[in-house]
Amino acid sequence: MRMKHLPLSWLRPFLQTPPLSRLHRCCLSSLQTNGSTDAPAPQPVIGPDSVEVLGRSYPSDDFTNVTQRILGNVGRNLHNQQHHPLWLIKERIKAHFYSAYMGRGGNPLFSVHDNLSPVVSVEQNFDSLLIPPSHPSRKKGDNYYLDRSTMLRAHTSAHQRELVLSGLDAFLLAGDVYRRDEIDASHYPVFHQMEGVRLYSNHELFSGVQRGQDLSLFEGGGRRTPQKQEVHSLEAVKLLELQLKTTLTRVITHLFGPDVQVRWVDCFFPFTHPSFEMEVYFQGDWLEVLGCGVMEQELLSSAGAGSKVGWAFGLGLERLAMVLYNIPDIRLFWSQDDRFLRQFRVSDIQQPICFQPLSRYPPLHNDISFWLPETPSFHQNDFYEMVRSIGGDLVERVSLLDEFTHPKSGRRSHCYRIIYRHMERVLTQQEVTRLHQLIQHSAESELGVQGRF
């Protein structure tokens, strides 16, 4: 569940599930892409008039801003690569839910889905989650659009309504998501999320409560308060909240150990109310690890589950892996260096791992200054994306050093520092100079800035 314009990673699966009903298999078949995760995905192509990705072509328009470098990550599916650290985290969470929550007949209660296409409609990504048209999270500068109506998902919650509509009451969902963002050791334009959803009928929620048959999920004439939605009874919301927080505390205890300290912080998400973030005390600091809440009843009603209530949670797999395995740089997850990958080839997914850093090659840095265009068309994320497209994973960090406004002309200037570092060898100043000059020229030609080089 991510949103700082929303925050965290938005309400956010995995493997083939235990056998689904015929109806579920039929409904979900339309969501699967390209068959097995082992099959090589078709190479994406950005042409003059269209974008081809995962075997489909989309006409480009004024909203198209996806780059070849970003499309090159589509289909990598790090969360499905055996013994990758993201796969390990996913498998540990999945194993916990499989063992702790059993349905009828002894089958796991939660089904798991981790191979849904990251190409979604704007309606799936925003409207289905009640995110209003004016919300800043929709901005072109923050997302990767194939065209005005199609994009790379910004959160796995884009599939939430479809899975509920297919008849699922309990599921986990994992996948890669895409955001235009700043550049540093903890931000990357592609990352991975995992979410869970649990729905309850009146009988399921109150079956363990004394005189539960006299209680109801809903009330007429209610009003929205900080504690509940207008249609929900207070008894239902309090019991949902208890179930949700108990479930997530068990997950985090499973990952961090029995002595972990947890606290809850009230927050806001458009698709849940009330909403919470969980923080854990780890190595001397409180870390936000997930977001969650009681699902908006309007969302459930639109998915054909208006007679039920439910909760949802979402977490970032990279965030957990970086904390649990002591991985210092998010770029490492994309490394194919065996010195990195072999540290996670363990026979038991529960085995503790402490990442041993690769040789730390020296950084090189160059600064770039320019006057901004007079029209308010410059967005920092556009600059970050241009730098990332040219420098790729050689760019470790981009930071704004200085903002200056000329006292007479009123023109504004930015100065950025770009830190370059190769993860596997020493970079030469000659290599960095060539890259930096290309970034300077591209900033002027693509972003309309005037260089102060």
Side-chain angles (χ1 to χ4, degrees):
M1 195 167 181
R2 168 148 158 153
M3 272 171 156
K4 271 315 185 202
H5 329 313
L6 288 168
L8 212 285
S9 290
W10 308 22
L11 285 175
R12 334 233 186 252
F14 307 23
L15 256 184
Q16 294 300 316
T17 70
L20 294 172
S21 70
R22 182 182 300 274
L23 171 63
H24 291 173
R25 289 198 300 270
C26 176
C27 293
L28 292 178
S29 64
S30 63
L31 303 177
Q32 303 296 331
T33 63
N34 301 320
S36 166
T37 56
D38 297 328
Q43 289 300 304
V45 177
I46 299 179
D49 303 310
S50 65
V51 178
E52 294 184 15
V53 58
L54 297 177
R56 291 192 59 184
S57 179
Y58 303 87
S60 54
D61 57 27
D62 61 324
F63 247 60
T64 305
N65 67 351
V66 70
T67 65
Q68 191 68 49
R69 182 175 292 277
I70 293 300
L71 289 182
N73 291 319
V74 175
R76 289 281 302 274
N77 295 330
L78 301 183
H79 61 290
N80 287 337
Q81 292 183 18
Q82 192 172 22
H83 300 302
H84 191 279
L86 299 180
W87 175 86
L88 285 174
I89 294 290
K90 182 197 76 172
E91 289 297 305
R92 290 183 65 185
I93 297 172
K94 186 185 74 175
H96 169 74
F97 274 92
Y98 270 11
S99 62
Y101 303 97
M102 306 302 291
R104 296 174 182 173
N107 290 323
L109 178 65
F110 285 79
S111 60
V112 185
H113 313 271
D114 63 357
N115 195 29
L116 304 184
S117 172
V119 179
V120 299
S121 69
V122 171
E123 193 277 337
Q124 287 174 287
N125 200 79
F126 296 118
D127 299 297
S128 76
L129 295 166
L130 311 180
I131 298 167
S134 60
H135 199 280
S137 65
R138 291 177 178 252
K139 288 189 304 184
K140 180 179 175 181
D142 289 347
N143 299 284
Y144 290 105
Y145 286 91
L146 304 184
D147 55 42
R148 276 190 169 270
S149 61
T150 315
M151 63 189 297
L152 297 178
R153 63 188 171 207
H155 45 266
T156 51
S157 298
H159 304 289
Q160 195 176 99
R161 186 177 67 183
E162 296 153 273
L163 293 174
V164 172
L165 190 61
S166 74
L168 297 177
D169 286 342
F171 58 85
L172 301 173
L173 169 64
D176 46 335
V177 299
Y178 299 77
R179 305 258 184 88
R180 288 162 62 100
D181 212 338
E182 57 194 291
I183 302 175
D184 59 32
S186 61
H187 291 85
Y188 201 80
V190 190
F191 55 101
H192 297 75
Q193 292 181 343
M194 182 171 184
E195 73 177 83
V197 168
R198 176 75 168 99
L199 307 185
Y200 299 84
S201 66
N202 204 96
H203 171 73
E204 288 171 321
L205 187 63
F206 294 121
S207 60
V209 178
Q210 188 175 10
R211 298 182 62 86
Q213 69 275 10
D214 297 329
L215 300 176
S216 174
L217 301 177
F218 307 107
E219 66 176 16
R223 63 187 182 89
R224 181 172 288 244
T225 69
Q227 288 75 41
K228 73 179 196 69
Q229 299 170 40
E230 50 269 55
V231 297
H232 292 161
S233 70
L234 186 59
E235 295 85 0
V237 172
K238 289 303 180 184
L239 191 50
L240 273 176
E241 183 181 330
L242 176 63
Q243 299 273 23
L244 170 61
K245 290 182 175 179
T246 300
T247 299
L248 294 178
T249 300
R250 288 172 177 168
V251 173
I252 295 304
T253 300
H254 173 72
L255 294 174
F256 285 83
D259 297 326
V260 66
Q261 298 180 56
V262 169
R263 71 181 182 187
W264 297 94
V265 179
D266 293 339
C267 64
F268 168 78
F269 302 109
F271 28 77
T272 57
H273 180 78
S275 303
F276 315 97
E277 289 174 351
M278 175 195 272
E279 297 180 349
V280 301
Y281 194 70
F282 188 76
Q283 294 183 349
D285 198 8
W286 285 101
L287 303 174
E288 176 193 11
V289 294
L290 59 83
C292 62
V294 176
M295 297 174 71
E296 284 284 354
Q297 200 60 32
E298 183 182 344
L299 191 159
L300 292 178
S301 295
S302 71
S307 63
K308 299 179 179 180
V309 295
W311 51 249
F313 73 86
L315 53 82
L317 294 178
E318 277 88 348
R319 173 175 294 225
L320 285 177
M322 291 178 79
V323 171
L324 288 171
Y325 300 143
N326 200 30
I327 297 173
D329 194 309
I330 197 169
R331 292 176 299 164
L332 281 164
F333 291 107
W334 296 89
S335 173
Q336 299 187 53
D337 189 332
D338 191 60
R339 293 175 301 164
F340 173 73
L341 296 173
R342 69 187 177 204
Q343 296 189 44
F344 303 93
R345 294 180 191 138
V346 293
S347 57
D348 181 358
I349 61 174
Q350 310 297 347
Q351 179 177 325
I353 300 170
C354 185
F355 171 67
Q356 300 301 311
L358 311 180
S359 298
R360 189 71 168 168
Y361 296 104
L364 295 172
H365 74 262
N366 287 43
D367 296 345
I368 178 172
S369 299
F370 45 74
W371 295 107
L372 304 187
E374 294 185 9
T375 57
S377 59
F378 177 83
H379 300 284
Q380 282 186 249
N381 277 355
D382 293 337
F383 177 67
Y384 295 146
E385 189 60 31
M386 186 208 69
V387 172
R388 183 178 277 120
S389 294
I390 294 171
D393 287 354
L394 298 183
V395 178
E396 180 174 270
R397 178 186 294 270
V398 179
S399 53
L400 179 62
L401 288 185
D402 181 60
E403 295 182 78
F404 169 73
T405 301
H406 195 281
K408 293 184 178 180
S409 68
R411 297 184 71 189
R412 295 187 302 131
S413 170
H414 280 188
C415 177
Y416 293 88
R417 173 157 294 173
I418 305 177
I419 298 177
Y420 303 87
R421 191 198 308 259
H422 202 293
M423 304 296 290
E424 299 167 11
R425 65 175 177 83
V426 175
L427 272 179
T428 67
Q429 185 61 59
Q430 185 178 19
E431 290 175 296
V432 168
T433 298
R434 283 199 300 268
L435 273 179
H436 200 72
Q437 289 174 344
L438 184 55
I439 288 170
Q440 291 174 333
H441 296 320
S442 297
E444 291 188 313
S445 62
E446 296 180 19
L447 303 180
V449 304
Q450 182 182 344
R452 302 178 65 190
F453 313 141

